Each structure stands twice: as C-alpha cells, then as structure tokens.
C-alpha cells in the first residue's frame, strides 16, 4: 500500500490525533504563563515573544480540538456528505492564530526593542523557564512524532512524505509548532546569552525577529495545507491508478472514462467515475456490477466512504451515435 499518504487517514478514527493535540495544549498553556512571568522579570523581548508564541500555540490547540470534535459528526439531511471538511476550516483558523498571535507580536516586539532598546534584568529565571519549557515541548513533540512515524510505517511511505501529504492536518500542526517551539527556545536562549555577555539588547531583539520569521513560515505552511483540502485535493496518483484497476477488474465494466476523487478528511474520501459498461450487459447486471465495484473499493481502500458510478457510453459508441467522444 505504498504512496497512499495523500489519502490515508489515521487508523483509529482520530483518537491518536486528539491525544496528541491535548498533550500539546496542556504543555503550551503552562509554558505560556511561565514564559510571560520570566519575560516580565528579566525584561527580555525574546522571552515575551516566546510567551506570545506559546499563547498562540495554546489557542491553536483549542481550535484543533474543536476541528476534531466537529468534523466527526455524522452526515445528516442538511449535510449529506458529512462534516469532514469542517476540520480544515478550524485548522486554517488555527494557522491564522499562529500568524496573528505569535508572528506579528514577535516581529513587533523585536523591532520595538531595536529602535527603543530594553533594560536587561536578571536572566536566571528565564534560563530556568526555557529549560523546563524545552523538556515539556520535547515531550509533546515526541508524542506527535510517534504518531506520524506509526502512520507512515502503516502506509509504507517515508516520514517526510507522510508529514507533507497527510490529510490529518491536526497532528501536522502539532509536529510543526512543537518543532518551531524548540527552535524558538534555542533562539531565545541565544538572545539572552548574547545580551548577558555584551550588555546589548540587540541580540535579544534579533532573537525575537527570528522567532517571528519562524512562526510566519509555520503559519504559511499550515495555512496552505488546509487551504488545499478546502479547495479540494484528490487521492494520490498511485491510489487513483489502483482505483481504476479495481473498477476495470469488475465483470461487465469495460473502461473508466473519467475518475474524480476527493479527500474529505483523514478517514474519508469520495470516488466518482464515468464508467463504460459492456453494451450487451442487462440493467440488472450493471446494477450488480456497481455494487461489486463499490464493495471492492471499500475493502481495498478503507478511506473510501462514498462511491458514485455513472454509466456512460464508450468512445466508439459515442462516435457511432454522432456524439462528442469525450463525455
């Protein structure tokens, strides 16, 4: 089942993702408070930027938890295709929260420190908070990485490819934000150390600017990933080719003229196809062929939840009838 990351979801309905996001949320909430106190005591611009970073991450986790809860609601009359895509709406808002709550504040604080300077206080508290935060963020990142590695191994794709292509943008957000958090902690520590050794606040300001730039990148990547799914992203080319092969293998199906796939969530995808059936097939045979085709696709690709097959005349038949050969 290689190369299915573009359409593969988690194996347990999102339970792992919920736990991963919860771990990150509690870690970031405690860290945000500690960083803010340390930033006020030390007067460090980078520490205040890191506090804003952790606040933004906490808001992000709350939005991701909302997305996980609302997206699993079953289909109803008003939402016949379910609520899966709602996950990406909330995840996109989470990316915006990272941008507004973290990146903008960090960049502003860094520029303000460069232009107005700052009074450096005792950095000892900040060093202690950074060390504790590094341990907590590391544990949160370890939880996310464990899930991604497990899913990548299950779908027989590389770790990097799965992380880039996974439709589970919640766990992707946790991994990217925690990685950025660890990098931000190192930058903040470097800014504190540089200011302590030189007595200049420039080092702290530069660290704050670097943290802001890092958060901008994370927000852009996550925003783009969620926007792709909101616009509509298909299953991977390899999976589409296998779907075509499964359909053609069904008795009475001659060819797949057109295939459309749509990822609606980590565990949900739609398949629609224009299918050329044998001209001599009866209506009953075509009906049962559609049933067998849907059953084969559901068994081979558990992510496929909806299958719509449209009986369509083949190219030769359309030409003979004087119709456009391309349906």
């Amino acid at each position: 089942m290689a190369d299915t990351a573009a359409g593969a979801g988690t194996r347990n309905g999102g339970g792992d993702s919920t736990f991963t996001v919860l771990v990150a949320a509690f870690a970031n909430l405690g860290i945000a408070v500690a960083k803010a106190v340390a930033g006020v005591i030390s007067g460090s611009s980078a520490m205040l930027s890191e506090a804003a970073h952790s606040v933004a991450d906490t808001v992000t986790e709350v939005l991701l938890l909302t997305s996980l809860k609302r997206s699993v609601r079953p289909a109803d009359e008003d939402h016949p295709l379910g609520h899966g895509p709602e996950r990406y709406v909330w995840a996109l808002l989470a990316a915006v929260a990272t941008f507004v709550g973290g990146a903008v504040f960090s960049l502003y604080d860094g520029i303000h420190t460069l232009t107005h300077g700052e009074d450096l206080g005792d950095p000892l508290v900040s060093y202690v908070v950074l060390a504790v935060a590094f341990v907590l963020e590391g544990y949160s990142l370890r939880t996310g990485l464990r899930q991604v590695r497990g899913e990548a191994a299950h779908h027989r794709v590389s770790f990097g490819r799965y992380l880039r292509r996974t439709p589970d943008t919640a766990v992707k957000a946790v991994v990217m934000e925690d990685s950025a958090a660890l990098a931000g902690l190192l930058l903040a520590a470097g800014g504190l150390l540089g200011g302590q050794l030189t007595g200049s606040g420039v080092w702290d300001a530069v660290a704050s600017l670097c943290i802001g730039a890092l958060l901008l990148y994370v927000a852009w990547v996550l925003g783009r990933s969620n926007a792709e799914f909101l616009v509509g992203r298909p299953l991977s080319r390899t999976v589409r080719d296998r779907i075509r092969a499964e359909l053609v293998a069904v008795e009475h199906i001659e060819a797949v003229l057109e295939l459309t796939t749509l990822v609606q969530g980590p565990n949900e995808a739609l398949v629609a196809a224009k299918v050329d059936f044998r001209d001599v097939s009866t209506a009953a045979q075509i009906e049962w062929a559609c049933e067998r085709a849907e059953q084969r696709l559901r068994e081979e690709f558990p992510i496929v939840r909806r299958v719509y097959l449209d009986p369509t005349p083949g190219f030769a038949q359309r030409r003979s009838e004087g119709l456009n050969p391309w349906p």
Side-chain angles (χ1 to χ4, degrees):
M1 194 178 290
D3 199 27
T4 61
T10 57
R11 288 162 284 170
N12 59 359
D16 284 348
S17 297
T18 301
F19 176 73
T20 299
V21 173
L22 279 172
V23 170
F26 283 114
N28 283 316
L29 181 60
I31 292 170
V33 175
K35 286 178 179 176
V37 173
V40 171
I41 293 175
S42 66
S44 168
S45 144
M47 280 302 298
L48 291 176
S49 295
E50 272 299 296
H53 182 175
S54 293
V55 169
D57 284 353
T58 303
V59 173
T60 295
E61 313 310 340
V62 172
L63 291 173
L64 292 177
L65 287 171
T66 302
S67 77
L68 292 173
K69 181 178 181 180
R70 295 181 64 86
S71 65
V72 298
R73 290 179 297 166
D76 52 40
E77 186 175 350
D78 294 328
H79 302 86
L81 297 181
H83 297 78
E86 189 169 350
R87 167 188 295 249
Y88 303 117
V89 174
W90 290 94
L92 182 61
L93 292 176
V96 174
T98 298
F99 170 78
V100 175
V104 172
F105 179 85
S106 297
L107 292 173
Y108 166 79
D109 202 42
I111 293 172
H112 183 271
T113 300
L114 280 177
T115 55
H116 294 79
E118 67 178 5
D119 296 325
L120 298 176
D122 185 4
L124 179 60
V125 176
S126 295
Y127 284 129
V128 173
V129 170
L130 288 174
V132 173
F134 197 90
V135 173
L136 294 176
E137 293 284 9
Y139 176 76
S140 176
L141 177 61
R142 177 174 172 268
T143 304
L145 291 177
R146 180 184 296 173
Q147 181 182 344
V148 173
R149 289 195 185 100
E151 294 297 331
H154 175 71
H155 298 294
R156 301 178 186 176
V157 295
S158 67
F159 174 89
R161 179 172 179 77
Y162 183 84
L163 191 61
R164 287 194 304 272
R165 302 289 295 174
T166 178
D168 191 351
T169 54
V171 71
K172 179 175 183 176
V174 171
V175 170
M176 290 199 65
E177 289 171 356
D178 285 346
S179 298
L182 291 176
L185 292 172
L186 294 176
L187 287 170
L192 283 171
L193 181 60
Q196 188 178 9
L197 295 176
T198 63
S200 171
V202 172
W203 290 90
D204 205 42
V206 170
S208 184
L209 291 173
C210 289
I211 292 170
L214 183 63
L215 291 176
L216 277 179
Y217 172 74
V218 171
W220 176 73
V221 171
L222 294 178
R224 185 183 63 175
S225 296
N226 287 288
E228 284 181 358
F229 286 107
L230 285 174
V231 173
R233 200 173 83 179
L235 295 170
S236 69
R237 184 177 300 275
T238 301
V239 175
R240 297 200 301 270
D241 290 342
R242 291 174 57 199
I243 289 175
R244 288 179 182 273
E246 288 291 333
L247 291 174
V248 173
V250 175
E251 187 180 5
H252 300 293
I253 292 181
E254 292 288 328
V256 177
L257 307 178
E258 182 180 320
L259 177 66
T260 300
T261 65
L262 178 65
V263 176
Q264 297 181 290
N267 303 292
E268 193 171 354
L270 177 149
V271 173
K274 288 182 177 293
V275 178
D276 178 20
F277 290 89
R278 291 173 54 195
D279 295 336
V280 297
S281 299
T282 65
Q285 288 173 328
I286 291 176
E287 289 173 351
W288 281 109
C290 290
E291 287 295 315
R292 284 191 290 271
E294 181 173 355
Q295 183 179 7
R296 288 178 67 115
L297 292 183
R298 286 177 178 272
E299 290 176 353
E300 183 65 21
F301 309 99
I303 190 177
V304 174
R305 298 291 181 86
R306 298 174 181 85
V307 179
Y308 302 103
L309 301 181
D310 178 14
T312 305
F315 298 135
Q317 184 178 352
R318 295 180 72 87
R319 287 196 183 95
S320 66
E321 297 291 336
L323 300 174
N324 183 350
W326 300 98

